[in-house]
Amino acid sequence: MPGTRTDYADYDDYVERSSALIGSPQEVLDKLARYHEAFGHTTISIGGHPGLLERGAWTDSLELFRSEVLPAANALIGDPAWPSPVGLPEVVPA
């Protein structure tokens, strides 16, 4: 619920139950698959907050996500077909 507090027993509990995408590419993919199963979404916004990581470690992490997680997520979840365009009403000259 908005405005409520979530408590975690420890770091492992935080990694498991929070929305943070932390872990190996497979662990991150597993979490994305659980999100998709629970919520049905096909789009996710990744802010990529570096926290206390040095810039190189942060960019390496983003590259690992791009090269290993995204292709697997796209294969697993896919992209829904776009709906048919809505037709405009015919304009009759006056």
Side-chain angles (χ1 to χ4, degrees), residues 7-18:
D7 290 321
Y8 301 101
D10 55 28
Y11 181 74
D12 291 333
D13 185 39
Y14 169 75
V15 170
E16 176 64 26
R17 295 191 307 122
S18 76

Side-chain angles (χ1 to χ4, degrees), residues 53-61:
L53 292 175
E54 292 183 6
R55 182 165 178 78
W58 179 51
T59 56
D60 288 349
S61 176

Side-chain angles (χ1 to χ4, degrees), residues 16-87:
E16 176 64 26
R17 295 191 307 122
S18 76
S19 61
L21 298 176
I22 298 171
S24 70
Q26 186 61 53
E27 290 168 325
V28 170
L29 182 60
D30 291 346
K31 187 175 268 191
L32 290 175
R34 286 195 314 265
Y35 290 167
H36 175 69
E37 186 177 320
F39 304 114
H41 71 281
T42 57
T43 304
I44 188 168
S45 176
I46 305 292
H49 189 277
L52 299 176
L53 292 175
E54 292 183 6
R55 182 165 178 78
W58 179 51
T59 56
D60 288 349
S61 176
L62 292 174
E63 175 57 28
L64 186 62
F65 184 86
R66 186 205 61 80
S67 66
E68 294 194 27
V69 176
L70 280 180
N74 285 334
L76 178 70
I77 296 170
D79 194 15
W82 285 87
S84 299
V86 176

